[in-house]
């Protein structure tokens, strides 16, 4: 059976671009369109022809290259229904529970609002991979530009419910800064302390810390850990509702 091929490459200052490719059906998608030049270079390097764009949300560093790439390749654009008016060139709007066919593969769509009001994630169950845009980061989560803490907490719980070994592709390399904040709110988490040291070592060599996994994030990401006694203590929210602990953690990160 063919495997979904995934190619990750840096874009702009701290974005990642992702190409996915089904060699049997000769289809290639870019997850978002952060930087046309970098995407074209990646396509040329792999010898792949762009057929699809899968957008996660409307921000410019995710959909800004849509029209140029569509014009050049005639590719089909799939994106969040709730942001269809803000996704340039969108052909196929999708939302929670929809299945997106890509060659021989299928992605399940999740609505994960919070960072933006219509943000979606794509889960390729058979491949154990999820593309989560700016919703979940390694040791972090997206800023709440258009949603509430309650919405984001619900969205993150959907991702936490994916299998532990799901490989998670997030759209930015923010991990080292996220680790500093994470340590400040959960200093007693040994797994986090160890991961933080590992991240420093990876980044000193310029190695990406993306992708991550659901298991690793559940063990170390403070935004998935409002139930942690140590975190609740540090942020002064012992015994409070998890959504309130999450909201306080997010607020602190905004001011960190
Ligand atoms: Zn964004
Ligand atoms: Fe972004």
């Amino acid at each position: 059976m063919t495997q979904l091929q995934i190619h990750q490459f840096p874009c702009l200052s701290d974005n990642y671009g992702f190409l996915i490719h089904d060699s049997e059906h000769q289809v290639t998608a870019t997850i978002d369109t952060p930087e046309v030049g970098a995407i074209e270079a990646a396509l040329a390097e792999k010898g792949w022809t762009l057929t699809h764009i899968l957008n996660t949300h409307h921000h410019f560093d995710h959909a800004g290259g849509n029209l140029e790439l569509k014009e050049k390749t005639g590719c089909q654009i799939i994106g969040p229904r709730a942001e269809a008016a803000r996704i340039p060139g969108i052909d196929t709007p999708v939302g929670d529970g929809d299945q997106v066919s890509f060659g021989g593969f299928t992605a399940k769509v999740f609505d994960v609002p919070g960072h933006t009001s219509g943000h979606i994630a794509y889960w390729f169950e058979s491949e154990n991979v999820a593309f989560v845009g700016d919703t979940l980061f390694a040791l972090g989560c997206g800023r709440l530009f258009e949603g509430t803490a309650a919405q984001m907490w619900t969205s993150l719980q959907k991702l936490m419910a994916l299998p532990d070994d799901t490989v998670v592709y997030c759209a930015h390399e923010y991990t080292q800064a996220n680790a500093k904040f994470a340590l400040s709110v959960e200093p007693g988490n040994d797994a986090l302390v160890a991961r933080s040291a590992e991240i420093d070592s990876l980044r000193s060599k310029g190695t990406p810390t993306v992708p991550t996994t659901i298991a690793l994030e559940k063990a170390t990401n403070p935004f998935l850990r409002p139930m942690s006694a140590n975190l609740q203590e540090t942020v002064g929210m012992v015994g409070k509702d998890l959504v309130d602990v999450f909201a306080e953690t997010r607020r602190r990160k905004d001011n960190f």
Side-chain angles (χ1 to χ4, degrees), residues 35-169:
E35 187 181 2
V36 171
I39 293 167
E40 288 178 327
L43 287 163
E45 183 193 330
K46 302 302 284 185
W48 296 344
T49 303
L50 192 69
T51 54
H52 298 72
I53 293 170
L54 305 186
N55 284 126
T56 62
H57 66 296
H58 71 86
H59 283 159
F60 189 76
D61 63 316
H62 297 264
N66 276 20
L67 289 182
E68 187 178 345
L69 286 169
K70 187 176 186 177
E71 208 164 285
K72 286 177 166 166
T73 65
C75 66
Q76 193 204 347
I77 302 182
I78 295 145
R81 181 177 295 125
E83 295 180 5
R86 297 189 283 178
I87 303 287
I90 191 167
D91 298 296
T92 310
V94 294
D96 211 42
D98 285 346
Q99 311 267 353
V100 173
S101 288
F102 173 74
F105 300 94
T106 303
K108 187 175 175 189
V109 175
F110 293 99
D111 282 342
V112 285
H115 177 67
T116 62
S117 60
H119 199 304
I120 59 174
Y122 298 90
W123 177 41
F124 288 87
E125 180 174 8
S126 68
E127 306 303 294
N128 242 3
V129 303
F131 294 93
V132 301
D134 288 356
T135 296
L136 176 64
F137 294 123
L139 293 180
C141 76
R143 272 179 189 264
L144 304 178
F145 286 119
E146 298 173 13
T148 64
Q151 281 176 322
M152 186 58 128
W153 174 234
T154 301
S155 297
L156 292 173
Q157 285 176 283
K158 286 187 192 177
L159 300 177
M160 288 165 76
L162 295 176
D164 271 350
D165 59 353
T166 306
V167 177
V168 177
Y169 290 87

Side-chain angles (χ1 to χ4, degrees), residues 212-234:
T212 177
T213 66
I214 291 295
L216 188 54
E217 294 312 311
K218 287 201 299 196
T220 55
N221 184 329
F223 298 100
L224 304 187
R225 298 178 55 75
M227 63 296 281
S228 152
N230 182 228
L231 183 142
Q232 289 187 1
E233 222 170 276
T234 312

